[in-house]
Amino acid sequence: MKDYYSIIILFLVFTGIIFIYNLYVKKKNEKILRQEIKDNFGKIHSKKFKGKIDGLHNRLGGNVSEITSNDLNLDEVLAKMNHTMSKMGLEFFYYRLRDLILDKDELVRLQEKRRLYEGKEEDLEDLQFHLGKLGYFKEDILELIEEEIEIQRELEVLAKVFSFTALYILMLFISLRAQAILFIFALLAVNTFIYKKFNEMAMGRLEALVRLKGLFYVSEGLIKNKNKNQVFAEEINEIENILRDLAPLKKSLRSFGFLTGNMELDFAETYRNVLFLSEARSFSKSQKYFKKYREEIFRLYYLLGKIDCEIGIISLAKAYKTGEASFGDKIFGKDLYNPLIKNPVPNDLDLDKSIILTGSNASGKSTYLRTIGINSIFALSFGMFFGEEFEIKPMKITSAIDISDSIMKNLSYFMAESKAIGDMIEDESEKIILLDEIFRGTNTIDRIASATATLKYLAKNNHVVAATHDIELTILLKDLFSNKHFEEKIEDGDIKFDYLLKDGPATSRNAIAILDNLNYPREIIKEAKNLSRELEEK
């Protein structure tokens, strides 16, 4: 009898230790999470993440093309400027960057609402704490609710039968005592097999279902604190109404746990899943609600992402001391800078007239194009910008700065760029167009002729900034475009840049000087300089 009691006690103690340890780790991680939020809010930092972040964008679309997104380094923006606390918030951040708000009144309302939250950091941090409990999980909740998965009837029956494994273990202890150990291991192995098989048949969505319950759990946390926080009341009231509608689905998920993405914290939950097979038993039952409540679940995901993203933007604005964009009929900026660059040099912008931008290699032309693009994106996504002053007319932004990705799709550079610019021509709406070295992939005469005709056409109804090395364009387009340039100085044989935008076309070139600095043979340098002078005179 002693053996029997000792084995049962050992099993109960083992299970108890797991759940007590889980509770301890949970409290410890919550404390760490709160401190992390407090330390980072309003400071320059970026929350690291892994996995896909385009769930909302893929389903809702956007008006910023893939080429423009790559040109303006929006992936780098996400990597270096992410102040969100959850996957939903990060996905909303990305979606908003890829879908500009082109309605002036909506942008103004966004700014006004953000002002209401000034001085309410504690409330915002409290909401971030609840959202941070979900974190950046890898499972795709939106995919879970879009496709129905059929589970074999036999597997469902097995899940029901072996959901009582804990009871079977106790019975084996009573009847077989010490000899029960092998049977117990066999039972746990069967449960593990059923759980894994169920997850395979559900195409990995069993854990996504647990994440869905986590979505409900976090939503309930926001609702409980709505009277205390007094922020995002409109969104939280809508979340409360959605949860009320989703009551049947919530009930079907009652037996599910809540995964956090933390290995230590989720160990006890995984142990419970295998022991009781609660998720496997509930999968088919809850799946019938996905079709019925698809829109409500999507809306809940969207709202949580919106709240998390907006709090992140408030933190970001404080960290970078951003300004509020104004929305009128001009495109004008003072001391705009690129937030991705360490120690950036600010420059002004006046797009009352389209701009031809010239200058030497590495003088700052491409950076200036990206500075215009990133500030325009943030202004029309969040009503904020990086600099002293910025007025913009709500309109689309498109570019052809670096389309190297297209070359990988078996298109020549010239063909890929021509196709991208062709899309700009086809879209007749007013827009900001950013171009770098237009038609660089073809011969000089055709390039200058095609570039002149194309830029004239684009400038009729759009606001164009075109960077080029072709000085001829500054003369051919002087009536339609204003000329701006960057320049360098050569001091003691070294090339130095101030990265400051200046009026007029560039008057200097540095290609030969760079070759000289790289110790090319004197014969090459001398002949290159002579030829350059001859060509200039002609």
Side-chain angles (χ1 to χ4, degrees):
M1 200 68 177
K2 273 186 177 180
D3 290 342
Y4 152 65
Y5 278 125
S6 60
I7 293 171
I8 290 181
I9 290 168
L10 188 64
F11 175 73
L12 292 174
V13 167
F14 174 71
T15 304
I17 286 171
I18 288 175
F19 286 101
I20 290 168
Y21 180 69
N22 178 66
L23 183 64
Y24 163 74
V25 173
K26 180 182 176 184
K27 294 295 180 185
K28 185 184 79 171
N29 278 274
E30 285 182 355
K31 188 177 179 181
I32 292 169
L33 179 61
R34 279 198 183 276
Q35 192 60 47
E36 177 195 337
I37 291 167
K38 190 174 181 65
D39 291 343
N40 286 337
F41 195 90
K43 308 286 195 323
I44 290 179
H45 75 282
S46 188
K47 187 86 172 166
K48 292 182 179 178
F49 61 89
K50 288 182 180 178
K52 295 194 300 180
I53 53 165
D54 54 3
L56 286 174
H57 169 67
N58 286 341
R59 289 159 178 87
L60 296 173
N63 49 33
V64 175
S65 71
E66 196 70 30
I67 288 175
T68 301
S69 176
N70 291 332
D71 282 345
L72 301 182
N73 306 129
L74 293 190
D75 286 344
E76 194 177 346
V77 167
L78 290 164
K80 291 188 175 181
M81 304 176 73
N82 174 34
H83 285 217
T84 67
M85 296 301 297
S86 70
K87 183 179 181 180
M88 304 88 66
L90 184 61
E91 284 194 9
F92 194 93
F93 187 23
Y94 181 68
Y95 155 66
R96 193 73 282 161
L97 289 171
R98 294 290 301 274
D99 189 45
L100 307 182
I101 300 169
L102 303 181
D103 181 87
K104 176 184 173 181
D105 293 336
E106 188 178 344
L107 286 161
V108 171
R109 280 195 300 272
L110 187 71
Q111 291 175 326
E112 288 172 347
K113 188 173 181 180
R114 195 172 297 144
R115 281 185 221 118
L116 295 175
Y117 301 144
E118 288 178 4
K120 295 185 177 179
E121 283 187 19
E122 283 189 17
D123 293 342
L124 297 174
E125 289 172 9
D126 192 51
L127 291 182
Q128 275 199 327
F129 169 72
H130 288 286
L131 291 158
K133 289 178 182 178
L134 270 176
Y136 303 106
F137 48 87
K138 68 179 184 297
E139 295 81 13
D140 193 334
I141 291 175
L142 298 179
E143 191 177 88
L144 171 73
I145 64 174
E146 288 171 345
E147 292 181 31
E148 193 170 342
I149 306 294
E150 271 198 44
I151 302 295
Q152 289 176 0
R153 178 65 184 159
E154 295 84 350
L155 199 61
E156 287 182 329
V157 171
L158 280 173
K160 286 179 182 177
V161 171
F162 283 90
S163 64
F164 298 102
T165 288
L167 180 61
Y168 301 156
I169 288 171
L170 285 174
M171 292 169 64
L172 283 167
F173 273 141
I174 293 169
S175 57
L176 297 178
R177 300 183 184 178
Q179 289 81 6
I181 294 295
L182 287 175
F183 293 101
I184 290 166
F185 279 120
L187 279 171
L188 290 174
V190 170
N191 275 39
T192 303
F193 171 80
I194 293 170
Y195 182 80
K196 287 188 174 179
K197 196 70 179 172
F198 222 102
N199 208 15
E200 283 174 17
M201 292 194 70
M203 297 195 291
R205 290 177 190 163
L206 206 55
E207 287 187 357
L209 200 57
V210 182
R211 298 293 181 194
L212 179 59
K213 182 177 179 179
L215 221 65
F216 296 155
Y217 173 83
V218 166
S219 300
E220 286 168 348
L222 299 187
I223 292 165
K224 285 175 185 175
N225 285 273
K226 72 173 183 176
N227 294 326
K228 172 189 166 187
N229 292 329
Q230 297 294 311
V231 288
F232 294 98
E234 185 181 331
E235 288 84 357
I236 293 173
N237 282 335
E238 188 177 349
I239 287 171
E240 189 171 16
N241 292 332
I242 291 172
L243 282 188
R244 200 175 293 121
D245 293 338
L246 292 174
L249 176 57
K250 277 176 61 187
K251 187 178 178 181
S252 73
L253 297 176
R254 191 179 294 161
S255 60
F256 278 58
F258 171 52
L259 295 178
T260 64
N262 181 287
M263 191 178 294
E264 283 183 300
L265 206 55
D266 291 339
F267 176 73
E269 188 54 45
T270 304
Y271 176 75
R272 191 179 72 84
N273 291 344
V274 171
L275 191 61
F276 297 104
L277 295 172
S278 49
E279 278 80 353
R281 284 185 293 115
S282 299
F283 183 81
S284 298
K285 185 181 176 183
S286 57
Q287 196 176 207
K288 69 180 181 182
Y289 294 115
F290 296 159
K291 189 174 182 180
K292 183 177 179 181
Y293 296 118
R294 186 173 297 165
E295 288 183 17
E296 288 84 352
I297 297 169
F298 182 85
R299 183 65 181 168
L300 179 66
Y301 193 93
Y302 176 94
L303 287 168
L304 290 173
K306 180 183 178 184
I307 293 170
D308 190 18
C309 174
E310 187 58 30
I311 297 172
I313 290 298
I314 292 167
S315 172
L316 190 75
K318 185 178 179 184
Y320 286 85
K321 298 180 175 60
T322 61
E324 279 194 352
S326 56
F327 307 103
D329 295 321
K330 295 180 180 179
I331 302 171
F332 172 84
K334 185 178 178 184
D335 286 342
L336 301 179
Y337 69 90
N338 186 334
L340 299 179
I341 295 176
K342 190 176 181 181
N343 301 320
V345 176
N347 277 296
D348 295 345
L349 169 70
D350 187 351
L351 261 177
D352 185 46
K353 194 176 183 181
S354 289
I355 295 171
I356 290 290
L357 186 63
T358 49
S360 307
N361 295 302
S363 61
K365 299 190 302 297
S366 298
T367 297
Y368 185 65
L369 293 176
R370 291 189 171 94
T371 297
I372 297 169
I374 288 174
N375 276 282
S376 299
I377 291 277
F378 270 89
L380 299 178
S381 294
F382 308 110
M384 59 188 274
F385 71 97
F386 305 90
E388 186 70 28
E389 185 182 343
F390 192 37
E391 178 181 337
I392 187 168
K393 183 179 180 181
M395 65 181 75
K396 290 181 186 177
I397 296 154
T398 187
S399 66
I401 298 173
D402 180 6
I403 53 174
S404 55
D405 285 350
S406 298
I407 298 175
M408 304 304 289
K409 298 171 186 172
N410 298 319
L411 289 174
S412 70
Y413 194 100
F414 177 75
M415 185 63 74
E417 184 188 26
S418 300
K419 191 173 182 303
I421 293 174
D423 291 340
M424 298 175 196
I425 293 169
E426 195 174 315
D427 179 1
E428 295 180 356
S429 63
E430 184 182 13
K431 53 196 171 293
I432 295 170
I433 297 176
L434 307 171
L435 301 171
D436 194 9
E437 298 300 333
I438 183 170
F439 301 140
R440 75 185 82 173
T442 190
N443 67 78
T444 305
I445 293 173
D446 280 1
R447 181 177 67 249
I448 292 170
S450 300
T452 301
T454 302
L455 289 171
K456 275 184 180 179
Y457 187 90
L458 289 174
K460 286 179 185 177
N461 302 309
N462 302 293
H463 308 266
V464 184
V465 184
T468 182
H469 281 292
D470 295 320
I471 298 297
E472 295 85 350
L473 295 180
T474 65
I475 300 165
L476 293 167
L477 294 167
K478 64 181 179 180
D479 294 332
L480 284 172
F481 286 72
S482 63
N483 279 299
K484 304 285 182 182
H485 74 279
F486 290 96
E487 64 184 23
E488 76 290 332
K489 291 180 180 178
I490 299 177
E491 297 177 359
D492 300 323
D494 190 21
I495 301 171
K496 295 183 178 179
F497 301 100
D498 60 15
Y499 304 111
L500 292 172
L501 187 69
K502 299 172 178 67
D503 292 328
T507 56
S508 63
R509 296 186 295 274
N510 67 2
I512 298 172
I514 289 173
L515 300 184
D516 197 5
N517 274 354
L518 292 173
N519 297 316
Y520 270 51
R522 296 310 305 165
E523 183 182 342
I524 293 175
I525 302 303
K526 185 178 178 181
E527 185 171 352
K529 285 181 177 178
N530 290 336
L531 282 170
S532 177
R533 277 194 295 270
E534 285 178 27
L535 291 170
E536 218 168 47
E537 288 168 5
K538 291 179 181 179

